[in-house]
Amino acid sequence: MDAEAFAAARARAGAASVERLRQVEAAIARAARDSGRDPASVTLVAVSKTYDADSIAPVLAAGHRVFGENYVQEAKGKWPGLREAFPDAEVHLIGPLQSNKARDAVALFDAIQTLDRPSLAQALAKEIARAREAGARVPRLYVQVNTGEEPQKGGVAPGDADAFVAACREAHGLAIEGLMCIPPAEDPPSPHFALLAEIATRNGLSELSMGMSADFGAAIQMGATMVRVGSAIFGARG
Ligand SMILES: *Cc1c(COP(=O)(O)O)cnc(C)c1O
């Protein structure tokens, strides 16, 4: 493909993403209204993992501002440039975080949704204190709960969630904004969303990050305040 054809294909892909973004926004608003909720109470996190900066830029240019990324290295490569062009963009880490990447993650992300173990709480507390001292903004934090208790998945077990949230707050001095979950792919998601909502309520947390391309409607019905939608906006990941 020559450069001109490549640019044209890029533009078409960008326009298609923006069109799908509008459809997802409309579906979110419908799901919220159907549940008697204000559509503005649900934030759409556009999950841009595996998509490069040129694929993300049209969605930013169309006015969308909240994005999700799974990998520190990948985000480090593409977001500094995008942020220069769109300083009010907000990027959330929604993938597992190694404690030795806590410093990078604190510097890069506006929210970290995958806090799930004491060693990570400790590492984040240290880096957040350091960032505060330097006058830098610090990320909001979500505790990930492994509602399906899947061994390969991150997140605290539902039975450990109350104690972990308390430890984050009391032992590590961390403000927790909400909870996040990724239900097992083979389960109906609603019971998992209901469980997350229940854990949040009894811990005094009002923010719930739950629901992806296939099930954000159900998540909104169960009280999601944040849905994380990737493929329904950017297309199937290669
Ligand atoms: C990839 C991913 C999403 C988005 O998934 P889609 O099915 O593409 O909408 C949401 N949340 C997490 C944690 C993810 O890793």
Side-chain angles (χ1 to χ4, degrees), residues 47 49 70 94-95 180 182 211-214 228-232 237:
V47 177
K49 65 175 173 219
N70 285 59
I94 61 169
M180 177 270 223
I182 313 168
M212 320 200 324
S213 290
R228 310 177 307 269
V229 179
S231 48
R237 289 177 291 273

Side-chain angles (χ1 to χ4, degrees), residues 7-47:
R10 276 281 191 211
R12 278 196 302 276
S17 291
V18 171
E19 196 178 312
R20 286 189 297 257
L21 168 74
R22 297 304 179 217
Q23 287 164 0
V24 168
E25 287 171 340
I28 288 171
R30 263 197 314 275
R33 281 193 215 97
D34 286 350
S35 305
R37 300 183 53 197
D38 178 359
S41 67
V42 184
T43 299
L44 168 61
V45 179
V47 177

Side-chain angles (χ1 to χ4, degrees), residues 76-179:
K76 210 174 166 177
K78 62 194 187 188
W79 276 99
L82 288 168
R83 277 191 198 276
E84 234 166 81
F86 301 94
D88 56 344
E90 197 182 290
V91 190
H92 294 214
L93 179 66
I94 61 169
L97 177 58
Q98 292 171 280
S99 298
N100 63 8
K101 297 223 171 88
R103 182 169 302 178
D104 277 347
V106 166
L108 264 169
F109 296 105
D110 300 282
I112 294 173
Q113 297 202 10
T114 49
L115 171 53
D116 67 352
R117 56 193 191 280
S119 57
L120 182 57
Q122 189 171 1
L124 287 173
K126 181 172 152 215
E127 297 306 332
I128 285 173
R130 197 187 162 94
R132 274 219 180 87
E133 232 162 87
R137 64 114 192 78
V138 301
R140 291 130 55 202
L141 300 176
Y142 283 66
V143 166
Q144 183 179 353
V145 182
N146 188 357
T147 57
E149 306 202 49
E150 296 173 282
Q152 81 284 9
K153 216 167 250 176
V156 293
D160 298 335
D162 296 359
F164 183 65
V165 169
C168 285
R169 287 168 165 162
E170 288 148 30
H172 302 289
L174 294 170
I176 303 299
E177 184 169 285
L179 301 179

Side-chain angles (χ1 to χ4, degrees), residues 184-216:
E186 66 280 6
D187 280 10
S190 287
H192 294 273
F193 298 152
L195 174 59
L196 195 72
E198 202 181 291
I199 297 169
T201 301
R202 67 170 185 256
N203 285 282
L205 295 165
S206 54
E207 303 296 319
L208 290 169
S209 171
M210 57 190 197
M212 320 200 324
S213 290
D215 56 19
F216 64 81

